[in-house]
Amino acid sequence: QELLTFPGHAEAHRVGNLLAGNMAVAFSPDREKLASAGADGQALLWDVETGEFVLALQVHPAGLGVTWVAFSPDGTRLAAASDTAQGGRALVTVWDLPSGQVLYTVTGLPNRAHTLAFSPDGTKLAIGEYGDFVKVYDAASGEEVLSLAGDHTRVLAVACSPDGALLATGGLEPPRLWDLATGQELATFPGHTSMVNGLAFSPAGSRLASSSIDGTTRVYAVDVEELIALSQSRLTRWWTPEECRQYLHTEKCPPQP
């Protein structure tokens, strides 16, 4: 049953390209506010209980479409990522709430800034870019603190583990797991046959779920030791070295029991 309708993005399906034409929404951590954004270039804040409009925030000065919105874990900040078009550069803007004051803007993003994720403690902000990078910024100042190594193509999803130690990324490439402190790649999870467009950790952080436009959702064991134990309980033979590299993410197979 529909409870409320939040108007305000009349241009969302008539401006910009396909991805920018989609709506981006996020609930505040206390579930009292809803942020919505679209191709009109605005992030709008709503009261969830009454449906009343609270605040309008201009994401990009050129009015480029918004691709993602995210609240900080304490609900005091809102981040929004923009599209890029007609020579304009994408950017990410972070506001103080409820004042609506701009705290900082992350610039220099060559392509669409497609996805955002705050770390659980609110100290870091991960940005996935539709072109070729994943970077992590100080969430208070907007200064870059980490750039994940390797090739990244069309990053559509990022997610932080509940303990803040890990970052998961996905897009045209399969889900990958990173050490959020060092930027070291820890694992790659195969299986999807098309782009990954969603990632989420379980509350305990022991599982990573990924969705894909191939029509499947996969759940992976994050802890390699647990994965080894699970595999041992199901295999009727021992692993080959290639299987250890692909599924256990290690160059050397564990010893046979």
Side-chain angles (χ1 to χ4, degrees):
Q1 181 181 357
E2 182 177 329
L3 300 178
L4 292 170
T5 299
F6 300 95
H9 294 286
E11 300 297 309
H13 297 288
R14 298 194 291 111
V15 180
N17 56 36
L18 178 61
L19 278 175
N22 291 340
M23 296 289 291
V25 295
F27 281 101
S28 61
D30 60 10
R31 297 296 189 258
E32 293 182 359
K33 298 293 186 292
L34 174 73
S36 66
D40 58 4
Q42 287 190 318
L44 305 181
L45 206 62
W46 308 87
D47 185 292
V48 171
E49 183 176 354
T50 65
E52 293 181 357
F53 168 74
V54 177
L55 189 66
L57 303 168
Q58 187 66 40
V59 178
H60 198 293
L64 301 183
V66 184
T67 55
W68 202 270
V69 288
F71 283 92
S72 62
D74 62 3
T76 63
R77 289 162 290 167
L78 181 72
S82 86
D83 193 11
T84 179
Q86 299 176 347
R89 291 260 180 179
L91 53 79
V92 171
T93 305
V94 178
W95 296 269
D96 171 73
L97 297 177
S99 70
Q101 178 183 354
V102 175
L103 296 177
Y104 60 85
T105 300
V106 178
T107 59
L109 310 179
N111 294 296
R112 178 182 297 115
H114 188 73
T115 183
L116 305 169
F118 280 96
S119 60
D121 63 3
T123 63
K124 296 182 178 68
L125 177 64
I127 300 176
E129 202 254 358
Y130 194 68
D132 57 6
F133 72 72
V134 178
K135 292 186 178 182
V136 181
Y137 296 82
D138 183 293
S141 66
E143 294 181 4
E144 182 182 327
V145 296
L146 192 64
S147 181
L148 301 187
D151 297 326
H152 306 278
T153 307
R154 296 187 180 180
V155 181
L156 300 179
V158 294
C160 290
S161 62
D163 63 2
L166 304 173
L167 181 72
T169 65
L172 191 59
E173 298 172 339
R176 299 163 78 178
L177 201 62
W178 307 82
D179 185 307
L180 194 51
T182 66
Q184 178 184 358
E185 183 179 348
L186 302 176
T188 298
F189 300 109
H192 287 299
T193 59
S194 191
M195 287 195 294
V196 174
N197 57 7
L199 293 167
F201 282 92
S202 63
S206 61
R207 299 286 188 272
L208 176 68
S210 64
S211 62
S212 168
I213 62 174
D214 65 11
T216 66
T217 297
R218 293 177 175 269
V219 180
Y220 303 94
V222 173
D223 184 1
V224 173
E225 293 301 322
E226 181 183 358
L227 184 60
I228 291 174
L230 180 64
S231 300
Q232 287 176 336
S233 69
R234 294 182 178 180
L235 283 175
T236 58
R237 57 170 176 77
W238 207 243
W239 299 287
T240 67
E242 182 178 348
E243 288 171 338
C244 289
R245 287 191 293 269
Q246 182 174 0
Y247 299 111
L248 301 182
H249 323 298
T250 178
E251 290 296 323
K252 186 177 180 181
C253 288
Q256 296 189 37

